[in-house]
Amino acid sequence: MSSHNVAILDYGAGNLRSAVRALERVGAHVTVTADPAIAVEADGLLVPGVGAFAACMEGLRAAQGPRIIGQRLAGGRPVLGICVGMQVLFESGTEHGVHTEGCGEWPGNVGKLQADVLPHMGWNTVEMPEGSRMFDNIDAEDRFYFVHSYAARSWELETEITEPPKVAWTEYGGDRFVSAVDNGALWATQFHPEKSGDVGLQLLKNWVGTL
């Protein structure tokens, strides 16, 4: 079992107990913290997020989240964003006509899913990219747990770079959206691995294995 230290950034983004439990189950030593020094120095940083993009960004900025994330990535230190914690990594988000600047790690805007029934809630499959460590020992038919009405519906980062990000997609209600990104030290999932049973634990184990 690993003894890697994982910090979960506590910026008021909701209940973090399931994430703590899941990470502990795969062998991580977990600290829930709002302390920027601890968040920067931990082996891995998990950025959670529930609710609205604008509210999450407000909380993140108050906790110096964008600076912490940027500082870690500049040093190649792993970060995992989950749900709205993934969405805020994009340039911007638009909800109810309100346009909010994100962390800007990836180009693009997060917008409302074009589906008849929202939120997209429940289990769904993921079109996994080739060669992504994120999905080691996970099968194409495995399902993850989603609950969201907004997502990145396009991927705009140029792929002509040396190590292009590996992007996973999911279909729902006739729409397609980015459901996970493996981008070197920066991983993110639109689904909730901590609520996805054994398959989610495998993904978290894969992440902890990179720390």
Side-chain angles (χ1 to χ4, degrees), residues 61-83:
R61 289 193 196 288
Q64 300 177 50
R67 183 183 68 77
I68 291 164
I69 292 165
Q71 207 171 324
R72 288 188 63 89
L73 294 175
R77 310 193 63 143
V79 174
L80 172 63
I82 288 177
C83 197

Side-chain angles (χ1 to χ4, degrees), residues 4-5 7-8 28 33 40 45 65 73 78 81 90 97 100 106-107 113 124 126 141 151 159 164 180 187 198 205:
H4 292 298
N5 292 306
I8 297 180
T33 186
V40 167
L45 177 69
L73 294 175
F90 287 88
T100 306
W106 299 316
L113 290 173
N124 206 339
V126 168
E141 61 272 18
T159 52
W187 285 19
D198 289 346
K205 184 179 175 184

Side-chain angles (χ1 to χ4, degrees), residues 43-148:
D43 298 324
L45 177 69
L46 188 143
V47 181
V50 292
F53 189 104
C56 275
M57 275 310 301
E58 194 180 335
L60 257 187
R61 289 193 196 288
Q64 300 177 50
R67 183 183 68 77
I68 291 164
I69 292 165
Q71 207 171 324
R72 288 188 63 89
L73 294 175
R77 310 193 63 143
V79 174
L80 172 63
I82 288 177
C83 197
V84 185
M86 167 175 168
Q87 295 178 8
V88 295
L89 296 169
F90 287 88
E91 261 174 350
S92 60
T94 306
E95 288 191 10
H96 310 298
V98 178
H99 194 71
T100 306
E101 215 173 285
C103 293
E105 294 298 336
W106 299 316
N109 182 64
V110 169
K112 195 169 189 176
L113 290 173
Q114 302 299 299
D116 290 340
V117 179
L118 291 174
H120 170 214
M121 186 160 81
W123 299 83
N124 206 339
T125 53
V126 168
E127 294 169 27
M128 297 184 286
E130 288 288 313
S132 168
R133 284 191 67 182
M134 185 187 285
F135 294 103
D136 279 355
N137 300 308
I138 293 171
D139 296 326
E141 61 272 18
D142 284 333
R143 290 171 177 266
F144 293 91
Y145 186 76
F146 290 85
V147 54
H148 63 115

Side-chain angles (χ1 to χ4, degrees), residues 169-187:
W169 295 83
T170 291
E171 289 200 22
Y172 172 69
D175 203 2
R176 263 166 72 78
F177 62 89
V178 176
S179 51
V181 181
D182 167 353
N183 182 194
L186 182 57
W187 285 19

